[in-house]
Amino acid sequence: MARGKNEWATKVFTLVKSGQLPAAVAQIKVAPTVADLSRLQTLLATLPSTPAQKQLDKVVEEERAMLAAPRLHRSP
């Protein structure tokens, strides 16, 4: 079953835009790949800067760094 490259990032971005930040953070913590987090970061950059947005950016960056560590890669 093929899935679009931006599917995960788009779904999480939709959660953010609808104001469901706790649900978005939960999804970010189980992100499939670093590339997906990078795509999400690109989408988040289009939103206006707010305190909640800055906190979400911080969570994405922390998860991206953790997922990039070789010993923490999730199995496919």
Side-chain angles (χ1 to χ4, degrees):
M1 177 164 94
R3 128 185 121 126
K5 286 186 176 184
N6 289 331
E7 186 176 328
W8 179 86
T10 304
K11 287 181 179 181
V12 176
F13 184 65
T14 303
L15 286 173
V16 172
K17 283 180 27 179
S18 66
Q20 298 177 356
L21 295 180
V25 170
Q27 286 298 311
I28 290 167
K29 292 197 177 281
V30 294
T33 64
V34 174
D36 287 324
L37 283 172
S38 296
R39 285 187 207 94
L40 178 61
Q41 232 172 2
T42 302
L43 291 171
L44 291 175
T46 63
L47 294 175
S49 184
T50 64
Q53 178 65 28
K54 290 178 184 179
Q55 183 65 28
L56 191 61
D57 289 339
K58 184 179 176 185
V59 168
V60 170
E61 190 58 42
E62 288 172 356
E63 289 301 316
R64 195 172 154 201
M66 286 176 52
L67 194 57
R71 66 185 182 281
L72 294 178
H73 278 291
R74 294 179 177 94
S75 62

